[in-house]
Amino acid sequence: MTADTEAVRALVVAYAERLDAGDLDGVAALFADAVVRPAVSRAELRGREAVRRMYDPVILYEDGTPRTKHVLGNLAVRVDPAAATATSECTFTVLQARPGHGLGPVLCGRYDDRFTRVDGRWRFTERMITPHLLGVLSDHMGRR
């Protein structure tokens, strides 16, 4: 695996880790130069502020986290070093320890991402979020 492939994989994983840690500003920072397209709403969220607003409904509990764990699977990365671009896709399952309900899946789907390398650093340029299976989200994204 090349260093470029690892750098792109690290960005995909950083998203999941930041969101699970309740670092919603950190999640938004990953998309400062990107557009995020949630397939359900067909919106185009451009840049840090717009992406951050998308996460406003996330409920953070007393420990500062949404009590979730994003499990990524089937992560495939393709890098074009000459063009300084890359793509990735992966599946995701979000588990949540819902108060009074224990641990269980609340959302499954797919991320399709595009990246560019600028000044030697990889960054997101686009993310498409496609949910496939929805569980009970009221304890995860209940706040408006």
Side-chain angles (χ1 to χ4, degrees):
M1 196 169 306
T2 69
D4 287 333
T5 301
E6 277 300 310
V8 169
R9 289 175 63 89
L11 283 172
V12 175
V13 170
Y15 166 83
E17 290 177 343
R18 290 178 187 190
L19 188 49
D20 290 337
D23 181 8
L24 305 180
D25 292 334
V27 168
L30 291 170
F31 299 100
D33 301 307
V35 60
V36 174
R37 293 183 172 93
V40 172
S41 70
R42 295 202 159 108
E44 284 195 1
L45 307 168
R46 294 188 181 277
R48 181 188 319 243
E49 290 79 19
V51 172
R52 178 60 183 87
R53 282 191 302 276
M54 180 175 79
Y55 291 95
D56 282 348
V58 171
I59 298 170
L60 298 180
Y61 290 88
E62 57 280 344
D63 65 353
T65 76
R67 298 181 64 164
T68 58
K69 177 55 85 177
H70 284 67
V71 180
L72 305 176
N74 305 325
L75 177 55
V77 175
R78 284 170 297 291
V79 175
D80 181 343
T85 60
T87 61
S88 76
E89 64 268 340
C90 70
T91 59
F92 67 86
T93 301
V94 181
L95 302 170
Q96 185 180 31
R98 294 176 52 225
H101 297 282
L103 179 67
V106 295
L107 178 64
C108 299
R110 177 182 170 104
Y111 298 133
D112 291 283
D113 298 317
R114 295 183 183 277
F115 306 86
T116 189
R117 188 179 58 225
V118 177
D119 296 327
R121 294 187 59 214
W122 287 97
R123 60 179 71 169
F124 280 98
T125 56
E126 181 180 8
R127 167 163 277 186
M128 173 70 82
I129 304 170
T130 306
H132 294 145
L133 301 171
L134 300 175
V136 177
L137 293 170
S138 59
D139 291 322
H140 179 45
M141 304 265 312
R143 188 178 60 212
R144 294 257 176 225

